[in-house]
Amino acid sequence: MSNLLEGIDFSALKEVEQNQEAAKTQAIPAGEVEIPIDDIIPDPKQPRRTFNEDSLDEMAATIKKRGLVQPVILRPRNDDGKHVLVAGERRWRASKKAGKQTVRAVIRVQATDGYDQMIENIQREDLAHTDVAHFIKGELDKGEKPSAIAAGLGKPKSWVSLYTGFFDMHESIRDRVEDFGIRAAYELHKAMSADEDATLAFLASNEAITQRDAIAFAKEVKAPAKSRGGEVAGQAIASVTDITANGGGEGSSRSLEAEPSTPARAEPAKVK
């Protein structure tokens, strides 16, 4: 009997056994399924409107090497036979770039809303301010109150208030909000309401504006401008420019508070 087996190559069986063991270690966790990547579509209500292509390329390279670490979350198939993404659009896009035919997914049956994706993006702190503003405006247009939006996102009401007037801001502020942040944009919007010319000049003369610069400038322009008119605009620009030029140090900057004007001394009445 042993002679009959001599000369037979059993290496292929060994390879099959190794593949079976590898399959066991790569088994899909309970509750997850493999979904064809073309059967998935983005949620049209997704708060994120911009995707960094360089970041997606990096993620795609990682997926090629290590696979998809975290599954995407999908709704059940719709009438068109497609799954709508609830969370994980960046992972889905990167998987497509990586040439994957399927992705690991969890099907969520319970109803969801835009807050789920918004919270996920905010927690990662990589959502554009413009995208946040679009989401908040959409909720306000539905009749939601700022306090309800804040509660839904797990944020203070003051955070939501920074975005409520975003689309009323001057274009020169909105265009640079990703550079200097929403709080600086909010302060510059207030300054623009007090003195548009001065604020435009400040924006033009400062390439980099910090939150501290914006708060100081708004304070300088807004308060004294009511009593002293346009002369404060040049002082405000010069004052905050000094801070920027000197690195913002407390010792190197001059006071941002306007000096109180000395009231005119009344002349004594002449006795006739």
Side-chain angles (χ1 to χ4, degrees), residues 65-88:
K65 184 177 180 180
R66 305 181 65 86
L68 189 62
V69 176
Q70 184 179 359
V72 300
I73 300 176
L74 308 173
R75 295 194 186 103
R77 291 186 185 275
N78 59 19
D79 294 338
D80 296 325
K82 300 293 185 180
H83 292 279
V84 177
L85 277 158
V86 174

Side-chain angles (χ1 to χ4, degrees), residues 138-228:
E139 294 303 303
L140 291 172
D141 290 345
K142 294 177 188 176
E144 287 279 8
K145 295 181 179 179
S147 57
I149 298 173
L153 296 175
K155 291 285 187 178
K157 184 180 176 182
S158 58
W159 182 86
V160 173
S161 298
L162 294 175
Y163 290 95
T164 53
F166 180 81
F167 294 101
D168 295 326
M169 293 180 184
H170 195 279
E171 184 179 359
S172 60
I173 297 176
R174 293 201 311 269
D175 288 347
R176 294 173 63 182
V177 67
E178 303 305 332
D179 295 328
F180 47 61
I182 190 62
R183 175 61 193 277
Y186 174 83
E187 295 295 337
L188 291 169
H189 177 54
K190 291 195 301 182
M192 187 76 76
S193 301
D195 194 324
E196 181 174 338
D197 291 339
T199 306
L200 289 174
F202 175 72
L203 286 165
S205 61
N206 290 278
E207 183 177 349
I209 300 174
T210 66
Q211 178 176 306
R212 182 175 182 273
D213 296 337
I215 293 173
F217 176 77
K219 190 174 184 180
E220 186 81 13
V221 169
K222 190 177 179 182
K226 296 178 181 178
S227 59
R228 294 198 296 166

Side-chain angles (χ1 to χ4, degrees), residues 124-146:
R124 286 206 308 264
E125 297 184 349
D126 62 353
L127 192 64
H129 293 295
T130 303
D131 292 341
V132 177
H134 273 291
F135 175 83
I136 290 176
K137 182 180 184 300
E139 294 303 303
L140 291 172
D141 290 345
K142 294 177 188 176
E144 287 279 8
K145 295 181 179 179

